[in-house]
Structure formats: C-alpha cells, structure tokens
Amino acid sequence: MSLFDAVRASSFDRRTFVAATAAAAAVASLGLAGCENKVRETTKEEKQEIDLEGGAWVPFNCVSTTCASRCYNRAYVVDGVIVRHGTDNTHEDSEDYPQQRCCPRGRSTRSFLTGPDRLKYPMKRKHWSPGGGENSQGELRGKDEWERIGWDEAIDLIAQELTRIRDTYGNRAFLAMGLMDTRLGAGFLGSSVLNMLGGCLTTWGQASVGGFSVTSQMIRGHWSLGASDAQDRMALRHAQLIVLWALNPAWSIAGSDIYNFIVAKRKAGAKVIIVDPYFHPSAQALADEWVPCRPGTDGALLEAIAYEMITHDWQDQDFLDRCCVGFDADHMPADAKTDENFKDYILGAYDGTPRSPEWASAICGASPEAIRSLAEQMATTKPMALKAGQAPARTYYGNRFAQLFFTVGWMTGNVGVLGGEVAAGAGLGTSHFGASGKGMVKLGSAGYAFPQNPVCSEPRAAGAIAAGKLDPEQEYGLPYSECYEAVVKGEYTLPGRNKEKRSCDIKCLYRDNAHSPANQFSGGNFVEEAYRKVEFVLVQDFMFSTDARLADIVLPVTSTLEYDISAAPMCPHEFVMVGSKVLEPYYESKADVEIFFLLADKFGVGEDVVPRKSVKQGEFNKVASAFVVTEDGSDYEPLVAITQEDLDRYGVEGVPQEGRVPIQDFLAKGAYQVERSDGDALMNCFGKAFRDDPAANPVATASGKYEIYCQSLKDYYDFIGFSDIDALPKYKPAFDGYEQAKSDDAYPYQLVTIHHIRQAHSVFSNVKQLNEVFANDILISEYDAGRTGLSKGDWVKVTSSAASIARRVNPIPNLMPGVVVLGQGNWRRTDEATGVDVGGNVNTITRPLVIGDAYQPFNSVLVSLEPWTGDELKPDYLRESVAPVSE
Ligand SMILES: Nc1nc2c(c(=O)[nH]1)N[C@H]1C(S)=C(S)[C@@H](COP(=O)(O)OP(=O)(O)OC[C@H]3O[C@@H](n4cnc5c(=O)[nH]c(N)nc54)[C@H](O)[C@@H]3O)O[C@H]1N2
Ligand SMILES: Nc1nc2c(c(=O)[nH]1)N[C@H]1C(S)=C(S)[C@@H](COP(=O)(O)OP(=O)(O)OC[C@H]3O[C@@H](n4cnc5c(=O)[nH]c(N)nc54)[C@H](O)[C@@H]3O)O[C@H]1N2
Ligand SMILES: [Mo]
C-alpha cells in the first residue's frame, strides 16, 4: 500500500465528500457566468532574478506556526546566506488563480532567524543544578547567567532530573505547557517526552476562538473555527453586502485573504460595512460604512438589529420557521424548560425593555440612526455575507455574543444561498482554513508515533470541548487562563464540580512544542512566580523567548528553513507548500523530533514504542501521502508521482506511486495550487442541503435545527459551572466590560488586544525593522489623548486590576473614545524593581479568569493610563537583545 492509500483510508470520509460535491454540482448547475479575469500588475520579481548572481532561489515555509495565512516565501541564497527575499511567482497572477504573496513578516525571515535572539547552543542556567531544593535556586530564573553546555550533557541532565522528579513526586508533578503540537504533525500533545515517562498534567481550554466553540456546537451542531463556516472564496463574489464584524484581514490574514474581499467588492460591487471599535487597516481599504461598537457590547447592537427586523417584519420567516427553533412562541423546541422566545424577549415582553436602537445606542456607542441603517441593510440586501472574527468572542460573555451573532444572521436567512453566509471565526481565513467543504489539496502525515499520556491529555479535553461533553470524572489538567496562578497556588478549577478545586504540586514545567504559553495565556502576571517556584524548567525554542528566558535548560531547535524538506503545517484550502533547505542548521540546533529521539534513547524506550525516523523521512512522508481533488471534484488522487530514482535520490524509504505532478517538480516549485474559476465544480455552498430540506439533512443539535432557544447549551453551562448563559440569546453586561468602565473611575478604558501586523503572536515581535515600521504602540483616540494631555510617542503605564505594563501611545482619529488597542504577543520583560512589564505584553494585564468552557477573556480588560515616570524607555526597535551571548 502506498503512503497515499494509507492516509486516504484514514483521513477523509468519502461519504461526506460525495455529499459536499453533490451540493457543489447543484451550485455549478445554476449556470453562474464566470466574470472576466483582471490581472494585477506583475511584480519586479523577474528583474530581481536578473540582478542576482551566484546563488539560487529556494522556496521555504514561513516559520510562523499559528498565523492564519500560509504564504509562499522564497529566498535567494548565496553560499548558505539569504541575500534577498521573494514571494510567489510560480504562475501568472489572476483573480481566480492568485499568487500566494507573503506579508512583511515572511520577508523579514532572514533578520528573524539570524538575529541576536536566536539560540545557538544548549544552555544551562548557571546557578541551577539537578536535585531540587537548594540546588534549583529557582528565584534566579530570568535573572541568572547562562552557560553553554554540550548536547550530551544537556540530555543527561534532563533525563536525570525528569526521572528524579517522577520517582520522587510522581507524574502529576510535571506540567507540559502549550497548546497543540503543530510542528510534529501529531495533533494535540501534552509532551511527547514526558509521555515516555508515564505522562504529565497538561493545560486545556480555548485559546483562540473564545466563546464561539461550544456555543456554536450546541446551537448549530458545528464547531466554529472558521474552517467549517465560511463560504468558498468564489461564493463571496456573489455577495451584495459584506459585513465584517470585528474582522481585520489586512492584518490577520495578510498574505492573501484580504485580496478575496477586494476582488469580491470589485467583481460584484459588494458594499462593505465594518463593525468594530477601531477603523482598522482593512476598513481603510474596504469600508463603505463603519459602525463603531464598544468592545463586548456587540450583543446589545445585535439585539437592536433584531428589534428593527422584527418591528419591520424583515426577518426571513420561512427560514426561521423551517430551519430554526425558538424564534417565536409557535416554534419552541420540545426540550425547552421555559416558554420564553426570542421575538417576545426582543420586544420587551419579559422585562419591559424593548431592545430599541435608542436602548442599544447608550450601550454600544453607535448612533440610533447608524443602527437602523445597519439593520435595514443587513435585512434587505441579499445575498449578504456576515463574517465575524473571533475577537468579540474572546470577551467575558463571548458565548452570549456567539448566540446573538448567529441568531441575527439566521434571521436574515443568509444560509445555504450563494453569496450569503453567517460565518464565525473568519479571522482565521476564508480561502485558508476558512472555506467550507473539503480541502482541495492536502499534505499527509509524517507518520511519527508518539506515546499517549496516561495521566491526562489534551486530546480528551479538546474532543470533549468540541463535542460539548466535558466529563468531571476525567482529568484534563489546568485551564489555560489560570495555569500559572494554579502553579503558584497549588490548585486548579475543575469543570462540572461547582468550581471545586483540585490540588496540584507542580515541580517541573516543560515545553517541547512550538507555543509560547508564558507569553500567550491570560493571567500572565503569575508567570514569574510560577516559574520560580518549581524545581526544573525546560524549554525548546529557536529564540530566547519569554519562556526560554525563565528556563533552567534551553535547547535550540532548527527552523523549518533548516530542514531538507519541510512540508508546511496547516495549509490553506486550495494550496500546499513545501520548502527546501535554505540554511544549514543554525549552530548546534536540532529539530524537535530529533531531541525527542535522543531522550527516547536515553530512557531506553524501544523502537517498538517509539519508531525512530529522520526528519527528512517524516517530511517526505507528508509529501508522499498528499492528495489533491480530481478536476471534476468527485474524488481525490495522490498529489505527487514518485519513482524509485526519487527515493534513491532523496535517501528515503517509500513505495513508487503515480501522481498529479512529479515530486521533483513539486519540490523545485515549492507549491501546488488548485486552479479555480467562478462556478467550477469545486464550489461548495455551505448549508444548502440543510436549508432545502432540514428534515432530511438535520444538523447535529438536540432538535436537528438551528437552536435560537437552546436548552442543551444552558444545561451544559450550568453543569460546567464556570460562568452563566441563558437558553435564549440575551445581552448581559460583562465583568470588566463597558458598564463597569463607565461607573468605575479607577479603570476607565476598555482594552482590546488585537493580532498585529508586525507579529504572529510572539513570533517576529523581536524584528527591529518590523518594529520600526509597524510599531506596536497602544492606540488611543485623539479625543482621549487630547483630554488627558497625551501626545504621540509619550510613554504610559497601562494598569489593570492585575498588573501594569509600559508602552508608547499613538493617538489616532479612527478609534472610539474610551477604547484603547494594543497588539498582543510582545515579549514580556518585567522590571524587577517595579514589577512593571516594560516589554508591554498584554497578557501581563489580562486576568486568570476561568469562564465559559475555559475560553480566555482576552478582550474584557479595563485599564487606566498614566504618564510613565520610571526610567527612560527605548522603543522596541532600539532595544538590545537580552539573549545570552556565547561563542
Ligand atoms: N498578523 C497576524 N495575523 C494573525 C495572527 C497574528 O498573531 N498576527 N494570529 C492568527 C490567529 S491564531 C488568529 S485566532 C486570528 C485572529 O483573528 P481575529 O480574532 O479576527 O483578530 P483580532 O485582531 O484579535 O480582532 C479583529 C478585530 O476585532 C476588533 N474587536 C476586538 N474586540 C471586539 C469586540 O468586542 N467587538 C467588536 N465589534 N470588535 C472587536 C478589533 O478591534 C480588531 O479590529 O488571526 C490570525 N492571524
Ligand atoms: N491577550 C491576548 N492573548 C492571546 C490572543 C489575543 O487575541 N489576545 N490570541 C490567542 C490566540 S488566537 C492564539 S492562537 C494563541 C497563540 O499562542 P502560541 O501558539 O502559544 O503563540 P506563538 O507566539 O505562536 O508561540 C510560538 C512559540 O514557539 C516557538 N517556535 C516556533 N517554531 C518552533 C519549533 O519548530 N519548535 C519549537 N520548539 N519552538 C518553536 C516560537 O519561538 C514561540 O516561542 O495566543 C492567544 N493569546
Ligand atoms: Mo488563534
């Protein structure tokens, strides 16, 4: 059996695919006329080719693991040195078949990977030695000096210390930090290394899509991660109105997705309305109208839109009657425990407060006229694409926002119609993870085998969250947002037990994956104390990152540019990439999986448990088992053809196979992109079958319909017990929300923590030229700046109820008063004397709240701003690296 066949047997379900293509065929048969293809200006790439001599262009995969884009990058390499960056020129550019051009971060890869923060050697903190107790000198973490050590010594020390900790305290003394291991291609993992020793505690929850996940699962039978919600990018061209609700694709999907909106607007003349407290760069490029809305108050705005629709009888009553439950008294679900319905709630039947535009305006800040106009346009322009980013779901009541967003979307009836959509999680892309339907081209699996975690495991938690089935009898570990507080306090909150706590005594923090929890989880003000409390900290990274800085041993890892072949994790819908070696492994770096095998050898774990495999073989396997959709959309075929000569040439094991393109061509080009055209057989119209015949095509909810009134959601939240929700969508003032800001002088501003163009979370945030061009300053309205005497470039202390950070201010005219905006991901740098984070990491001031289904309320934070009176601070691009220097 070839690798392709093996993967094919396990990785996609043919039946779903056939159903999806049937829907696609139905759409295609509508006879949509393909529009003329306009060609963008070509780049200066060809000229660059001429200018450069003595080297070669090599395609590579962006080093960012969690960016929503996956763009085509290439480097001109002379004698192992990158001398020029380039992007996709593998084919002519057109709207239907666009080049996958990279963003400024990808183009800064050379500076990033060979900059001063890059780790070169295994390092040990000078005053740490194994054995625990006094030997740890834990209070020096983050302040100590570093010593270069050899790999043998590093592996010995790690193995010795891990074994001691397990034997002395048991496996629950280990905490594996991070999210999932994308780099190893193994799905969710606590720690591959600790699992070999019998397992560890891990962290769990929702780091990305906030309250969308469980709510979406319960009310519409679908887990929302963008991937399954958004329409095909071709369908977007049929929208007459596009509403971007908290969506800034020019920054969050910078590589190419913003282009889809530009094309959609140009092709169909779609009008674009932005709902956001910030008139962001995408708004500046796309917007016809901006409806400002205070953070976390979207629910009030949505209720007023519903009110306008109901009072004008604009709702799609047919869709509501046939496909939804709970809208009105005549369509209540059988399991409802109250007889409240949405329509009467909105009209004020239950509390005497009609949700009028005037009522909402006082909360959300948009004028009643703007709300009326938005409601009318959303209700009467058809088809409409209503797309929400995740940010409003990353608020305290992100779950309630999710309910209201879908409900109002469904009221407009834009489900299962070409050009219409009600899509959540769109911050993760439209053409990328975003498009509904099946992946058109996908890389396969590396085929590594990792031991399971017997103590607790993220897969169980992830599966349970996705299914809305957390089980209090299961051990899931520490909720993300309180993970560091829990280490400090020795207890963590359990789901389904009335916030009952379980004790933990963590002695070892371990990070062998490509995530940066010390930087990225809320409740970051507990990080230092947590790290200093334990006996041993190990971090694997290519940078001297926030967590690496607090470790006892750091192991330097190779980036994917240093792999012989690197098959990109998480590729887009129509496009896969494969990089070749651009750089030799940086100094003494090793790939994560090589480190895993070194420790497996040390622990004496046999090939039967952990079969060894070279990085090259693993990456090759992903390519060999890649598949691509057949032209008529009815099936898949292997992407690459492989001959015995190829196997010999690459020095890998495998079986020759037929395929769409010779593997050598694929590797040389570095990419494969499915050619698309409007109305092609690959176009999928999400929700069409359900809309046409909901009885025959029920969704996976209790009633089989979309549940505006959702009893199971309410029951589930009551059972988890972290925070509340109602069965009916209802706006409620949030903890640390606008209503509190209004009445509490101590913290008058609402802080929004966005995904900034200069960085992909913590990655790239240390690149000087990106910092200079795209300074991540705290944005404040000109009105508030003027009122409080702040000018551009002034340093301020930003304080929440948790802690303080320092940043420069940038007053702008295009932001709501009362709101401040700061890009997340800056590397924490706590000033030991004052405790203020002068690195400006937003998660130093987000709080460790365990809410909802353990999602993190990153965007419900109230802060004060005061002029900085401490020592003089330098802007990021002038700061020196604090990485240890060792030659
Ligand atoms: N450059 C870059 N791109 C990225 C990433 C990155 O780190 N850097 N990360 C990727 C990942 S993993 C993800 S999950 C996505 C995230 O994608 P998103 O969650 O969509 O991105 P954000 O920038 O957090 O928020 C988008 C907009 O929401 C607005 N907003 C915030 N809170 C509210 C609110 O309560 N109501 C309203 N109406 N608007 C609000 C903000 O002002 C901002 O303009 O981005 C992906 N793309
Ligand atoms: N306040 C606030 N916080 C947020 C968000 C927000 O909107 N606001 N957004 C949240 C979201 S949406 C997400 S998805 C999370 C993302 O959070 P994370 O995924 O934790 O963030 P990254 O910064 O991508 O972490 C990547 C780390 O891995 C390292 N690394 C990269 N490649 C490799 C490799 O091959 N091997 C190893 N060992 N290390 C590698 C990088 O140097 C970096 O330290 O952040 C969340 N945090
Ligand atoms: Mo995310």
PDB file of all heavy atoms in Angstrom, residues 277 498 522:
ATOM      1  N   PRO A 277     -14.739  48.656  17.060  1.00  0.00           N
ATOM      2  CA  PRO A 277     -14.428  49.917  17.748  1.00  0.00           C
ATOM      3  C   PRO A 277     -13.313  50.693  17.038  1.00  0.00           C
ATOM      4  O   PRO A 277     -13.138  51.875  17.271  1.00  0.00           O
ATOM      5  CB  PRO A 277     -13.963  49.465  19.140  1.00  0.00           C
ATOM      6  CG  PRO A 277     -13.657  48.016  19.027  1.00  0.00           C
ATOM      7  CD  PRO A 277     -14.456  47.477  17.893  1.00  0.00           C
ATOM      8  N   ASN A 498     -18.941  22.664  40.326  1.00  0.00           N
ATOM      9  CA  ASN A 498     -19.226  23.883  41.081  1.00  0.00           C
ATOM     10  C   ASN A 498     -17.976  24.661  41.440  1.00  0.00           C
ATOM     11  O   ASN A 498     -17.835  25.140  42.551  1.00  0.00           O
ATOM     12  CB  ASN A 498     -19.956  23.497  42.365  1.00  0.00           C
ATOM     13  CG  ASN A 498     -21.305  24.145  42.426  1.00  0.00           C
ATOM     14  OD1 ASN A 498     -21.507  25.163  41.752  1.00  0.00           O
ATOM     15  ND2 ASN A 498     -22.191  23.579  43.204  1.00  0.00           N
ATOM     16  N   SER A 522      -3.702  34.184  29.224  1.00  0.00           N
ATOM     17  CA  SER A 522      -4.062  35.271  30.136  1.00  0.00           C
ATOM     18  C   SER A 522      -3.601  34.890  31.556  1.00  0.00           C
ATOM     19  O   SER A 522      -3.228  33.753  31.816  1.00  0.00           O
ATOM     20  CB  SER A 522      -5.558  35.569  30.068  1.00  0.00           C
ATOM     21  OG  SER A 522      -6.302  34.414  30.265  1.00  0.00           O
TER      22      SER A 522
END
